[in-house]
Every structure is written in C-alpha cells, then in structure tokens.
Amino acid sequence: MTAIPQERRVVTAIPGPKSLELQNRRTATVAAGVGSVMPVFAARASGGVVEDVDGNSFIDFGSGIAVTSVGSSAEAVVRRATAQLADFTHTCFMVTPYEGYVEVCEQLAELTPGDHAKKSALFNSGAEAVENAVKIARSYTKRQAVVVFDHGYHGRTNLTMALTSKNMPYKNGFGPFAPEIYRVPVAYGYRWPTGPRNAGAEASAQAIDEISKQIGADNVAAIVIEPLLGEGGFIEPAKGFLPAIAKFAKDNGIVFVADEIQSGFCRTGQWFACEDEGVVPDLITTAKGIAGGLPLAAVTGRAEIMDAPHSGGLGGTYGGNPVACAAALGAIETMRELDLVSKARRIEEIMKPRLKEMAEKFDVIGDVRGRGAMLAIELVKDRDTKEPNPEATAALAKACHMEGLLVLTTGTYSNVLRFLPPLVIGEDLLTEGLDILEQALAGV
C-alpha cells in the first residue's frame, strides 16, 4: 500500500477531465436520486486527505460522513480485513457462526456506557440498527409508540424515514410512513425562544408533557434520540435535557435508545456522546465509525432487553459480515492504540477557537457548536432574527471545494457547515483547512 502524501494539492480545475468523463458515465447509468457532495471521483484516501482521479488532493473535513475516523485505509483495518478475506468472505452468522462477530459484541459490551450485562446484534447500516432497536423495544415492552425529536435523523428505510424530522431530501414523496411515531421538541439552544440557558429545563418539560398528554407514557415502547444531533445541524441538546428525558423513560418503563451512529466511537472526544452528562442508555445504536469504512452496524444494550425477541426474530443475511467484523476489530484497535478520544479533543482545541474568531469577524456565522471532532457553524442572514442562510452555506461549501477542502453541509434549514475530520488528521492540515475556510468566508 503506497502512502499518500499528507498535503493539499490542486492541479486541475475542479472537477478535472477524468472526473468529468466519469460523471458522463455516471449520468448514463446511476439513478439521478443518488446525489454527491463534490463533483470529483475518488482514487485513493488516507489519513487526512482524499485524492481524486485527476491527481488533486483534498483536505478531508468529512470522513465520509464520520465513517473513516481512523483514516480511509488504516493499517490495522486493512491488515485484519485482508486476512479475513483470504479465509472466507461469508457464511451468514445465522447459518454457521464465526468468532469475529462474537469478538465485536464483546468489544461493544466493554466500550459502551454502563456496567450492566450487555448483548449486541450486528447489522449492515445505521438505519437497520435503529429499526432493529425499535423492534427490540417493542418486543420487550409489548408497547407500540415510539417518541423521536425535532431535527432528528435516523435513516432512509420506511420506519426510519418516519422517525426522521427533515422532509427534503429524505422523506419528500416517499410516504405513507410507518405509524405510531410521535415527535416532540428538542433543546436546540441557539433557537430556543427564551435562550440557551432555559432550553434544557423548558424543552424537557415540554417534551414530557406532550408525551404524557398526547400518547400516554404507558403506551411508549421507546424514546429514540441522538445525543448530539447530526443531520439536524450538529445540535448539542442544552444541558439537563438528556438526563431529564432518560429519567422520564426509566420511571415509566420506556426503553431509552441513544442513536450514536454519527456521534459514536471517539468522535466527540468521548467513546460515546451520551457519556458527556453521564446518561446510560438502555440500547445504543452504532455504525459509521465502527469499522473503518466497511458496512457494519450494531444494537447494544441491556441483556434482558436484547434477549426479548424470539429466536430468529433478529438477523439478516449480511448482518455482521466477517470481513466487516475484522475491520471493526482493526478500527477499535486503532482507536485504543492511538488514543483517538484524546485526538478528537485536540481537534476541538485547535478548531473551535478559530471558528469562534471567525464568528467575531463574519456576521454570517450565527453559532459555533459541537464537541470533539464533530463541530459546526450555523449561517444566518441576520444575527438578530436568526433567519437561516442556506444560500451562503452552499456557496461557502463550494468555495472550499474549489480550493481543495472537502466540507459537508447539514441542518434542518440547510444552513449549517459541519466539520468531521478523520481523528488521525495532521494538525498542519487542520490549520490549513481552517485558513481556506476563513478565506472562503471573506468571499461569501
């Protein structure tokens, strides 16, 4: 495996001629509904850079949407997955099981919050994990209703589209959706009417009141929330909100599900984001960062809850694929050996002060938020009205792309620029990326 120089390099127009040629082929055969953030085609990626087919090298502030936290070709991931490929690629765990699946479940039991007995089931994607968490909660409680939150995102299957808050592009025209899904307020501090200091207490009280009045706590199987909301705009619920919701769930026999698909595995400067306020979920869903880029997801939780479904009730042909399990063990090995929890905190130490300086300099930035290597700026047209500015956000992202910095947009109002660098990125690349962002802001 040839090492890729850890440097930004723009040698053609963006997109270059080879990417344009591939784009023509793509248009002819790939469904138009599959979008892409950047108009370039990847050839190689490693550490903190992505190299395209034209030889351009981009600083990576996206990690394939928080997936390649250990880098796109981490040595331990490649080594373990390659060895597994040589042994066997598939047997189906439900037909003839294998050790790798069990090992991943052992690691999850050790790493996830809480010292209670835990079990896991493995799947292919985050949406599958969330859907199965709901199945497990319904089986355990013998109830049907599921509570989710404003600005939440949980996937693209029929059930998880119903759980997801944002219509475009995730839900528009794809209904009808699964029933017995109820949405309540979240403590979005920046946009809370009485201000961020009051958001935690007021939003939790309002959410609990709505659940109690409109659904009835005794009818709720699960409360599902991202401890740090991803696609909704990297919203960190105001302090006190998550503990209050978790306590309400516990007091009423409701399964509390932490959706850590984007925020898990060291991303926020802790192994899992819910640890920040000491919240111990009944079930936790993981994917994205778990396996260094290979498709793997998990539901991990209290053994008695996980054991509620009947034998054969959970599974899937590819769930816990042996190569993906090997990759996950390599990713976890890398996270431990390189102390990527500390690396995520160091990324915050470098990035957050710079972003706050930019916010003082550019009025278009209404808010700077996030933790660890899961940071964002929210762009507005006016700081007083906080009117979202999706046009500036799109223009800013494009300007960064043209200069060799890969960034992603997000948010219910499409007005948030999010930063998800690989946790192994060099500090020089981080600083250079921030310089590009600042220059781009000056032109917006």
Side-chain angles (χ1 to χ4, degrees), residues 125-353:
S125 69
E128 268 192 81
V130 173
E131 189 138 341
N132 277 278
V134 170
K135 284 168 57 176
I136 292 163
R138 284 173 166 165
S139 179
Y140 177 72
T141 61
K142 306 296 188 265
R143 304 171 181 177
Q144 294 185 350
V146 178
V147 172
V148 288
F149 294 83
D150 284 342
H151 309 287
Y153 175 86
H154 301 287
R156 295 175 182 261
T157 61
N158 186 267
L159 174 61
T160 57
M161 277 192 294
L163 301 175
T164 290
S165 183
K166 189 176 180 181
N167 177 50
M168 277 294 288
Y170 306 118
K171 302 167 71 169
N172 195 52
F174 298 142
F177 301 115
E180 285 303 302
I181 308 299
Y182 300 88
R183 197 173 318 284
V184 296
V186 75
Y188 188 168
Y190 177 62
R191 293 189 175 276
W192 194 253
T194 59
R197 287 188 179 180
N198 301 319
E202 291 181 2
S204 57
Q206 192 174 327
I208 289 167
D209 183 59
E210 288 187 17
I211 295 167
S212 302
K213 286 192 309 189
Q214 298 180 26
I215 315 163
D218 290 347
N219 294 316
V220 179
I223 293 174
V224 184
I225 189 168
E226 302 158 274
L228 204 163
L229 283 71
E231 304 304 308
F234 280 32
I235 300 161
E236 186 178 0
K239 297 300 181 193
F241 180 81
L242 286 173
I245 298 296
K247 182 181 185 303
F248 172 76
K250 184 177 182 179
D251 291 346
N252 290 278
I254 300 166
V255 176
F256 184 83
V257 182
D259 178 346
E260 293 256 15
I261 285 154
Q262 190 162 171
S263 59
F265 287 99
C266 310
R267 176 54 58 182
T268 63
Q270 290 161 305
W271 275 95
F272 298 95
C274 58
E275 295 176 69
D276 186 62
E277 291 187 87
V279 172
V280 177
D282 297 312
L283 300 179
I284 185 167
T285 60
T286 52
K288 290 191 183 292
I290 193 174
L294 275 74
L296 187 69
V299 183
T300 302
R302 298 183 184 279
E304 67 274 17
I305 299 177
M306 291 297 298
D307 281 343
H310 52 274
S311 179
L314 303 177
T317 301
Y318 295 107
N321 170 271
V323 182
C325 286
L329 295 169
I332 292 167
E333 176 188 326
T334 304
M335 291 171 198
R336 290 181 188 275
E337 288 190 359
L338 299 183
D339 188 11
L340 294 191
V341 165
S342 294
K343 289 283 178 67
R345 290 175 184 166
R346 177 60 182 155
I347 288 169
E348 180 181 346
E349 286 175 4
I350 294 169
M351 292 191 73
K352 210 165 191 181

Side-chain angles (χ1 to χ4, degrees), residues 42 65 90 128 234 327 406:
I65 317 184
H90 174 80
E128 268 192 81
F234 280 32
L406 194 165

Side-chain angles (χ1 to χ4, degrees), residues 18-30 41:
K18 291 181 180 176
S19 280
L20 287 171
E21 181 185 339
L22 283 166
Q23 181 61 35
N24 289 334
R25 289 169 55 190
R26 168 191 173 142
T27 302
T29 56
V30 178
F41 282 74

Side-chain angles (χ1 to χ4, degrees), residues 412-427:
T412 299
Y413 312 109
S414 303
N415 70 320
V416 176
L417 205 66
R418 57 177 156 174
F419 310 109
L420 293 161
L423 305 183
V424 295
I425 194 171
E427 292 187 9

Side-chain angles (χ1 to χ4, degrees), residues 53-72:
V53 290
D54 290 289
N56 300 299
S57 184
F58 298 86
I59 298 172
D60 185 8
F61 274 16
S63 300
I65 317 184
V67 170
T68 54
S69 299
V70 296
S72 288

Side-chain angles (χ1 to χ4, degrees), residues 88-100:
F88 61 93
T89 59
H90 174 80
T91 65
C92 185
F93 191 77
M94 299 179 299
V95 178
T96 50
Y98 36 87
E99 186 178 5

Side-chain angles (χ1 to χ4, degrees), residues 94-107:
M94 299 179 299
V95 178
T96 50
Y98 36 87
E99 186 178 5
Y101 189 117
V102 177
E103 279 190 273
V104 170
C105 294
E106 289 170 341
Q107 291 288 331

